[in-house]
Every structure is written in structure tokens, then in C-alpha cells.
């Protein structure tokens, strides 16, 4: 018997929804059935009812594009930003979608489409995706940072997402790196997210420019353009000293964050993902350098690697399908 | 069938070795068979061969005092400070015992006494002890800090010690709280251990006195007495402002440490153990206050309790026996 099972993954992002089908043989993940056929739809600034319908349409299309019917799908997983109640499958409050509060999304989608569904934190899902089909395929313990507007975190131990007692584990972006430091959106001070996310990297650049620092970024800034982390990366690459300093600061804080995550979960691999990780080697090599410089040289110091994510923006969708396979697979 | 299994726990401390027998019915831990009859022997400043013989003697005596024979013991667990190789059962390098380097202690004890043996990090063992027979009996996920000369850490998830990929997980004292901060014995800067251990609490008091701060501690200090964390606690209790400030600093850093551990493992309970935790409520209430003030008020903020350890200096011994029961129990 080599009959496959199929799992539908749905990634509910800030502005789009993506859906795709993952094929599995028993617990072994074989491939992404519709890798070339991922279905995407806009969800930005839409009402909750519209978004729900778009998710349903996306899911149906992904199944069709994979050459399957909904009855072929064993289970579905939805990756969503927090705050969510993973166990109950409920979106507690959506920062992006109007009127979504205490929405039992897993139940609604299961009723609309048929297969049973689970909900998972988007960064947890991305980590699970990288663990099984991306950068982490040969490791037992892996941590991942998703560097975007914030910093999402995920930890996978022996193939299982670390959920903690209430589903709030691996909020790695909210590890406090600087006592009484920069204010974070979460209300704490000094969180990693307040220093090393894409948004905070851009914000630190803007602050330096406001202080009158010279930089090739000044022109963009004076022209009223909203600076992005990509601007900082681009100008650092072109040799701008301030941009390089800001990016190096991001790398320094990511290294401290990595050391703290290593102290708790002792991973073999830490993966940098999300938009800012597209900076590539200029970021990765700097994080590695600071990680080595700031870390202890005792046992195990050299047993934690650091790599870039490889699944890009499909990690969450793939991981959601895998999470469904783990929770509801047969 | 209600036949019991018996597990021998051995705690190899910096200056003494302790042994005791724990009774278990299947996986359920029933009691500490020889709680009143724990056997202790000095190990300070002894050669490795002498220490090994004392451990063996201690273990034999504990079994006799429990009214048992060595043949009644299903397995043995040894709790030891690091650096150790948990999987291999090897003491890599002992800071306390002369000539102990790459000592296969689990194998040596098993050969000398009969039952199979495992080695466990002392702070991990203490956490497992508190989880099953101490402060953590009703929780699924628990973290513990052992506040002594350093800060040991242990995390227990669904009854299992979090070991990580190489056995170095839960080195919670080496979470970096202050970038480029105080130098830690591990070589890093700004570790929690460099601020909030018993030794670091005393060191911070001494530094303040050297800076000329007024305090009732000054007399002890001028008399050439080596200040301890207990002095700081005692004088804080008696109303000394500097001692209170130093102790509050310890509580502040323990709160930041707790928030960082919460961000990674989402425990229901954080337990404060070790010598400094004997300060009791004056420390616990201050840590709780800072934890609440510094932490986010988002979901789950109120779901992590903080309590004092209850097993005192027997936690490691008990936990070692439980770790043996888990690894080698029948």
C-alpha cells in the first residue's frame, strides 16, 4: 500500500490568503502537490464575510489545481497571525480584517469545505514547513525567526511544534533584549521585535537620519519616502556607512536573540526567514559573526548552525498543511 | 498488581553527595522512601577515587535505610553540575572534584552497585523533582531557576525534561539580559547569572559599598567579612535601603529572565529554588511585581504563576531518581 494522503494548507496573511495542497505518505511528507499552482487572493481592507468567502474560494481552487477533489483532502490547516486560540481554532482578534473577533475559523472552514481543520500560529507553521521541507530537514531541534513587520518565532522539537501550556510558546520576538529599552507594540520594552524586525530596522534608520546622520538614505528620507528595511539593505550593499551600521545593529540583536533561544531550547539550527531575511548573506554572515563573538565558548558553542529559510513565503502555507497532517492525519 | 518499583537518586553537589530512594507505582511517583534517611557525605577537596567510593557508600546506605536491598532498585539517577554529557553518562569536567575529567560515572556506578544508571544535569533534575513531588504537581509546563552560586535552569514539558539537541537546553542562567553587561563566568556578557544569582547579588552589594554607599552592610564589609546574598536579604528585611535596592535589582532581573523564559516555553508555573529562594516572600513578591510591570498585558499574561520551590535541597536527588524511572523504569 502506498496510498497518499492530501492536506490543504491555507496561509492567512496581512494582505493576502494563499492555499496549496501537500501530499503525504503516512507521516512522511512527499511534496507540495500544487507548488506551481498556489492560489492567492487579496484580503486587505475587506470585511470579514468577504475574507471568509475568499479563503473558501482559494481553498477550492487550490484543490482543483492539484488535480483533486475536496473529498481527497484528509485535513486542512490554517496559518494565521495572532492573537489566536490554537486549541479552540478561534481567531481571537484580527489586526487586519474588519470585524473579526472570536471567529471560530477552523469550524467555519470545515463546515464550508468538508475536511476537518485546525488553526496554527503563522510563525509556528512556517517553522514546521522549514523543518520538514526546507532548511531544517536533517535536524531534531530547530528554531526560526520570521523577520517581517514584527518578529514571529517558531520552535520545532522532534517534529512537533513547541506550543507551551497555552499555545503562546515561541513568541521569540518578545524576548526582552534591552532592559527598559525601545517600546514594543506588545507593551513591553526592549523586545527583540523593537530592534531587529524589518519595521524596527527602518525605524532605527529614520531616527538616525532625524539626528542628522549623513547617509545616502537621506535623499529618500527628505523626499518624504517611507523608508523600508529593504532601503537600508540596498544602501548598505552600496557602501553607505549609516545603512551598514543600522543593518549591523539588526544583526547584533538577532545574534543576542539567537543566543537566548539557544540557552533555552538548544537547537541544532536557527533559521532566518521572512522579508528581511531576503537580505541574504549580508545579514546572515553578520548575525553569525555576532553570535560567535557574543556567545560562550563552552560546550556546544559550535553545535548551533544558522541558515536562511528556503521556502520563502510558502513556508506558512506548507507548515499549516503539515500541522493538519500531524493533528488530524491518518 | 500493585508492586512498587524503587529508584535510587544521587545528588552530587559541590561539597556533599546525597542519596535517597524514591518509590514508584508504574509511572506514578508515590513517595520518597527514605525522606527522613537521606544519606550525605562530604566530597569537598577530595580526590576523584575518594569521591567515587563515598558516592557508592552513600548509595548503599540509602538503600539499607529504605529497608531495601540493591537488587530491589530498578535504576539509579545521578544529578551533577555541568559540564556533563547526559546521553553518554559522562562527567566531562568537574569544577569541584580533583582529577575528574571524562569520567563515565553512570557506567562506574552501575558496575559497582548493580542497577543501570543515568546521569542528569542537577538543575534539570531539581526541576523534575519539583514538577512531580513539589511545587509543580498540577501543571503541564514548568520552568525552574536554581538560585545559588550561579543560576541553574530546568524546563519540564508534559513530564519530560527539555534536553534540546545536545543536552544543553534550559541553561536559563545564561540568557543574556543586558547587552555588553556584566561579565559572566561562562564568558558571555550580561547573563542573568551575572546579576541575579546569590553570588552576583552579593557582588553587586559589595560594588555599591565600594562606591561609598551608606548601608548597615558597611560594618560587615569593613570588618573584612565576605558578604553573602543572605546578608543582603537579612539587612533588607531589617530595613536597610541599600540592601533592599540590591535585592530589588535581583528581583527585577529575575522578572526579566522569567518573561524571556515565558516567551519561549509558555509555562504555567515558574519555580524559584536554590539557596537564594530561601529569602522567601520578600524575594517572590518583588519578582512577581516586576514580572507584572515589565510584561505584556496581552493574551496569556496572567496565566503564568510564580512560586517558591518546596523540596529544598532534596529536589536534585529526588529528580535524579525520577529521571532514572523515566529513562529506565519498567
Amino acid at each position: 500500500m502506498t496510498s497518499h494522503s492530501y492536506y490543504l494548507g491555507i496561509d492567512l496573511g496581512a494582505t493576502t490568503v494563499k492555499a496549496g495542497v501537500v501530499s503525504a505518505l503516512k507521516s512522511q511528507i512527499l511534496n507540495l502537490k500544487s507548488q506551481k499552482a498556489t492560489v492567492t487572493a487579496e484580503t486587505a481592507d475587506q470585511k470579514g464575510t468577504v475574507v471568509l468567502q475568499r479563503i473558501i474560494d482559494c481553498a477550492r481552487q487550490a484543490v482543483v489545481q492539484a488535480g483533486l477533489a475536496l473529498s481527497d483532502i484528509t485535513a486542512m490547516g490554517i496559518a494565521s497571525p495572532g492573537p489566536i486560540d490554537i486549541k479552540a481554532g478561534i481567531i481571537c482578534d484580527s489586526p487586519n480584517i474588519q470585524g473579526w473577533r472570536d471567529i471560530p475559523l477552523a469550524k467555519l472552514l470545515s463546515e464550508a469545505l468538508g475536511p476537518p481543520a485546525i488553526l496554527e500560529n503563522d510563525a509556528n507553521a512556517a517553522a514546521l514547513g522549514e523543518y520538514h521541507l526546507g532548511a531544517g530537514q536533517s535536524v531534531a531541534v530547530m528554531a526560526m525567526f520570521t523577520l517581517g513587520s514584527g518578529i514571529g518565532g517558531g520552535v520545532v522539537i522532534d517534529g512537533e511544534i513547541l506550543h507551551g501550556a497555552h499555545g503562546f510558546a515561541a513568541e521569540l520576538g518578545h524576548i526582552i533584549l534591552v532592559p527598559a529599552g525601545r517600546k514594543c507594540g506588545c507593551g513591553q520594552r526592549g523586545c527583540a521585535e523593537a530592534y531587529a524586525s524589518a519595521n524596527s530596522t527602518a525605524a532605527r534608520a529614520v531616527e538616525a537620519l532625524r539626528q542628522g546622520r549623513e547617509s545616502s538614505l537621506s535623499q529618500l528620507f527628505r523626499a518624504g519616502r517611507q523608508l523600508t528595511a529593504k532601503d537600508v539593505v540596498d544602501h548598505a550593499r552600496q557602501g553607505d556607512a549609516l545603512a551598514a551600521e543600522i543593518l549591523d545593529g539588526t544583526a547584533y540583536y538577532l545574534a543576542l536573540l539567537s543566543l537566548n533561544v539557544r540557552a533555552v531550547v538548544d537547537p541544532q539550527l536557527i533559521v532566518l526567514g521572512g522579508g528581511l531575511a531576503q537580505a541574504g548573506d549580508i545579514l546572515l554572515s553578520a548575525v553569525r559573526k555576532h553570535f560567535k563573538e557574543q556567545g560562550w565558548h563552552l560546550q556546544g558553542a559550535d553545535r548551533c548552525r544558522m541558515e536562511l529559510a528556503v521556502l520563502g513565503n510558502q513556508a506558512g502555507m506548507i507548515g499549516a498543511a503539515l500541522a493538519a497532517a500531524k493533528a488530524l492525519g491518518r
Side-chain angles (χ1 to χ4, degrees), chain A:
Chain A
M1 274 278 293
T2 56
S3 75
H4 289 193
S5 293
Y6 298 102
Y7 300 93
L8 180 64
I10 299 168
D11 187 5
L12 185 56
T15 57
T16 58
V17 58
K18 285 193 288 289
V21 177
V22 165
S23 164
L25 176 58
K26 284 188 182 163
S27 65
Q28 190 193 359
I29 307 306
L30 295 178
N31 55 46
L32 181 64
K33 188 78 180 172
S34 60
Q35 194 143 25
K36 296 270 164 58
T38 304
V39 179
T40 303
E42 290 280 326
T43 58
D45 301 319
Q46 300 292 337
K47 280 188 187 166
T49 47
V50 175
V51 172
L52 183 63
Q53 193 54 51
R54 291 204 176 167
I55 295 171
I56 291 168
D57 293 345
C58 240
R60 286 188 193 280
Q61 287 171 44
V63 171
V64 170
Q65 291 195 14
L68 300 168
L70 272 167
S71 56
D72 297 319
I73 303 295
T74 301
M76 308 182 291
I78 309 124
S80 166
I84 63 174
D85 183 332
I86 293 174
K87 275 187 195 163
I90 291 172
I91 306 244
C92 302
D93 194 3
S94 171
N96 310 309
I97 301 164
Q98 297 169 39
W100 268 25
R101 186 177 281 266
D102 294 328
I103 297 292
L105 188 62
K107 183 165 160 279
L108 291 174
L109 289 180
S110 184
E111 284 172 1
L113 294 163
I118 58 116
L119 192 62
E120 184 52 86
N121 171 284
D122 54 359
N124 287 349
L128 191 67
E130 290 287 343
Y131 184 93
H132 283 292
L133 288 174
Q137 289 180 61
S138 60
V139 305
V141 182
M142 190 197 98
M144 179 170 169
F145 309 135
T146 307
L147 309 171
S149 56
I151 296 183
V155 172
V156 182
I157 300 176
D158 295 334
E160 301 292 329
I161 291 170
L162 179 67
H163 277 128
H166 320 96
F168 308 143
E171 286 286 356
L172 306 179
H174 299 289
I175 288 180
I176 296 171
L177 297 181
V178 182
R182 294 171 66 89
K183 209 153 174 38
C184 181
C186 77
Q188 296 183 162
R189 284 193 169 273
C191 290
E193 177 167 307
Y195 291 83
S197 67
N199 283 14
S200 295
T201 298
R204 283 170 34 243
V206 168
E207 286 164 24
L209 293 171
R210 287 215 172 105
Q211 285 164 16
R213 293 285 303 276
E214 280 193 25
S215 166
S216 57
L217 290 164
S218 305
Q219 285 194 322
L220 299 176
F221 181 61
R222 279 197 228 103
R225 157 102 168 267
Q226 191 171 348
L227 284 192
T228 65
K230 187 171 181 311
D231 293 327
V232 175
V233 172
D234 289 346
H235 285 243
R237 264 193 231 287
Q238 290 156 23
D240 180 63
L242 178 68
E245 178 187 317
I246 295 292
L247 189 61
D248 191 64
T250 297
Y252 172 76
Y253 288 109
L254 287 176
L256 291 183
L257 175 60
S258 299
L259 287 170
N260 285 353
V261 170
R262 184 179 76 177
V264 185
V265 299
D266 178 24
Q268 284 140 308
L269 178 67
I270 293 176
V271 176
L272 305 182
L276 182 53
Q278 287 169 21
D281 192 59
I282 192 173
L283 180 67
L284 179 64
S285 58
V287 180
R288 283 177 174 162
K289 183 194 68 161
H290 288 298
F291 184 76
K292 200 168 176 182
E293 283 176 8
Q294 302 298 321
W296 72 19
H297 296 173
L298 305 178
Q299 62 177 3
D302 54 349
R303 299 195 204 170
C304 179
R305 285 185 298 121
M306 200 169 287
E307 302 289 351
L308 297 169
V310 301
L311 296 179
N313 65 11
Q314 293 205 314
M317 182 187 77
I318 293 169
L322 302 185
K326 279 178 193 294
L328 304 169
R330 58 177 182 219

